[in-house]
Amino acid sequence: HFRYFLLRVSRAPSRGHFLHGPYPATHFGPKACVLPNPTSVMHIQDPASQRLTWSKPPLNVLVIRKIRDETLLEPFKELCRFLVEEKHLMVYVEKKVVDDGSLMTDDSFSAIRNQLCTFREGYDDISDRIDLIICLGGDGTLLYASSLFQGSVPPVMAFHLGSLGFLTPFKFESFKTEVDKVFEGNAAIILRSRLKVKVVKGMFQRNEQLFSPQENGIVLNEVVVDRGPSSYLSNVDLYLDGRLITSVLGDGVIVSTPTGSTAYAAAAGASMIHPNVPAIMVTPICPHSLSFRPIVVPAGVELMITLSPDARNTAWVSFDGRKREEIQHGDSIKITTSCFPVPSICCHDLVYDWFDSLAQCLHWNIRKKQTRLTDASDSSETEN
């Protein structure tokens, strides 16, 4: 039960386009139409109008800090001091962060440290206590935050203090101003879809197991099935809503969200998709076929991956790069879109932030500028 909800903002009459496409016409010509189905009626809010507001003032804040990085000690202490002393909030941090030797020996931080609430991943459930998550570090901190909440996720505010920072749009230099703005509400928010993963073990093990929180049953970036340490090609079958679509013969296959399209999938040759596009991406890893290109399927389908009957070896599956597990003959992996996205707070808006990250982090379409022609006759001699 969190203290936030999405605010539907009335749209100015002058704006004539939306991030979602127009609702399609259901009448075709004078006599044909789509068969009416009341149960399939959906009202989808346009992503551009999604704003964050609070039903009650937030009281409990989870601060996630990139560990083993000494450069984040001072920003972490500044943020905690601000939240505790100035905002009078209850701050939760992971126990191993508080037990850091540099923090334990810092007498000036001891008063704040004693007021922090600690938890241990895999032992303490804090999913129903947190109103806001603040991340300090790189993209891994947001992935870690996602793994802590298998159900509803509080809003996430991510500060760029890591190496890449594609998912962390905020600059820490102005953290007090930015946090105050979020607490006031009306911040732009982007809903990053996640994948729900089930592993069905063996033909003779009918127990369908949903991963426990520490095993990452919900992923934000991707599910990767690969050949592991074997020298043989991976050979897996891909099903879509129960129908065999194709077999993947190669190093493996990546099933990713639009958020994950700029991660491993992009390195494997997939297109980059804006996080608000409802879709699931299927990207082969070094396929042994020149015609096997990455595909995009609707977000509502169920994908299933199994070892092909004639596969020469087992396969391995990982979830957002964690918790690798061996997949044997008779096992299957079922993947669907989760009902619980990650609500990421935008620094500017959901379009500008994404393209800014493409340019700043991935150097998308960066090249030396072409110079203009100084004389019409130059065009016949050379082209700069």
Side-chain angles (χ1 to χ4, degrees):
H1 304 287
F2 302 116
R3 300 171 183 267
Y4 78 95
F5 59 91
L6 288 177
L7 175 65
R8 183 185 295 274
V9 177
S10 59
R11 189 176 303 281
S14 59
R15 178 176 173 127
H17 65 277
F18 306 91
L19 291 185
H20 270 315
Y23 190 83
T26 56
H27 287 77
F28 318 110
K31 296 181 180 179
C33 67
V34 172
L35 181 67
N37 184 359
T39 62
S40 66
V41 174
M42 296 178 62
H43 298 283
I44 302 177
Q45 182 175 350
D46 183 58
S49 69
Q50 291 171 174
R51 314 292 292 187
L52 178 69
T53 190
W54 304 95
S55 59
K56 295 180 181 178
L59 300 175
N60 303 314
V61 178
L62 169 62
V63 176
I64 295 179
R65 180 201 127 196
K66 181 181 179 182
I67 60 174
R68 296 187 297 273
D69 190 341
E70 295 296 320
T71 63
L72 296 184
L73 283 177
E74 288 305 318
F76 174 76
K77 290 189 289 186
E78 287 183 46
L79 177 63
C80 290
R81 188 174 288 111
F82 169 70
L83 295 175
V84 172
E85 294 182 344
E86 298 187 34
K87 306 300 289 186
H88 308 292
L89 299 172
M90 190 71 70
V91 177
Y92 287 76
V93 297
E94 197 169 6
K95 189 176 188 302
K96 61 184 177 183
V97 172
V98 177
D99 292 343
D100 184 283
S102 300
L103 289 178
M104 295 293 290
T105 57
D106 188 348
D107 294 335
S108 64
F109 190 69
S110 60
I112 301 296
R113 186 179 63 246
N114 294 334
Q115 298 182 60
L116 301 178
C117 299
T118 62
F119 72 96
R120 295 175 299 167
E121 181 190 7
Y123 294 92
D124 304 314
D125 184 12
I126 60 171
S127 59
D128 60 345
R129 308 179 201 172
I130 305 302
D131 300 320
L132 174 68
I133 303 172
I134 298 180
C135 296
L136 302 178
D139 295 345
T141 57
L142 194 142
L143 294 174
Y144 178 67
S146 171
S147 71
L148 295 176
F149 297 85
Q150 299 293 287
S152 181
V153 186
V156 180
M157 184 179 192
F159 287 92
H160 176 30
L161 291 168
S163 55
L164 185 61
F166 192 89
L167 306 178
T168 54
F170 289 94
K171 306 298 182 184
F172 190 76
E173 290 76 11
S174 56
F175 78 93
K176 291 185 178 181
T177 302
E178 299 294 351
V179 170
D180 285 339
K181 288 180 181 178
V182 170
F183 276 46
E184 292 171 0
N186 203 34
I189 196 167
I190 184 168
L191 302 181
R192 298 184 179 275
S193 64
R194 300 192 292 174
L195 298 177
K196 179 180 179 181
V197 186
K198 289 182 181 179
V199 172
V200 180
K201 283 294 185 180
M203 296 177 62
F204 304 104
Q205 296 175 268
R206 294 298 183 182
N207 56 314
E208 192 173 81
Q209 174 190 0
L210 177 62
F211 283 95
S212 58
Q214 65 268 23
E215 290 176 311
N216 246 3
I218 301 289
V219 300
L220 176 60
N221 265 357
E222 73 276 301
V223 179
V224 178
V225 180
D226 58 50
R227 64 183 184 177
S230 173
S231 59
Y232 290 112
L233 291 176
S234 171
N235 190 358
V236 297
D237 291 337
L238 176 65
Y239 294 81
L240 192 150
D241 284 341
R243 292 190 176 187
L244 177 63
I245 300 301
T246 190
S247 295
V248 183
L249 192 63
D251 282 353
V253 63
I254 305 167
V255 179
S256 60
T257 63
T259 294
S261 70
T262 53
Y264 193 0
S271 295
M272 295 180 288
I273 300 180
H274 190 277
N276 260 118
V277 177
I280 298 176
M281 299 188 63
V282 179
T283 307
I285 307 172
C286 297
H288 200 254
S289 169
L290 296 178
S291 61
F292 195 166
R293 309 308 304 160
I295 60 173
V296 179
V297 298
V301 304
E302 180 185 71
L303 295 172
M304 184 173 71
I305 300 174
T306 66
L307 276 179
S308 295
D310 53 352
R312 296 183 179 183
N313 58 293
T314 61
W316 289 78
V317 60
S318 62
F319 314 92
D320 278 345
R322 307 176 73 198
K323 306 298 182 183
R324 284 175 64 82
E325 179 179 344
E326 189 174 17
I327 300 299
Q328 302 179 354
H329 283 283
D331 298 348
S332 61
I333 307 164
K334 295 183 178 180
I335 305 169
T336 57
T337 298
S338 170
C339 296
F340 302 103
V342 174
S344 298
I345 300 173
C346 300
C347 182
H348 300 96
D349 61 66
L350 69 170
V351 174
Y352 177 87
D353 282 6
W354 192 68
F355 279 99
D356 185 58
S357 294
L358 286 182
Q360 299 299 324
C361 301
L362 300 183
H363 303 293
W364 176 65
N365 198 29
I366 300 298
R367 57 152 286 175
K368 185 178 180 180
K369 292 289 187 180
Q370 185 181 46
T371 58
R372 61 176 297 179
L373 295 175
T374 56
D375 189 89
S377 61
D378 292 345
S379 61
S380 60
E381 300 173 1
T382 183
E383 181 178 347
N384 293 328

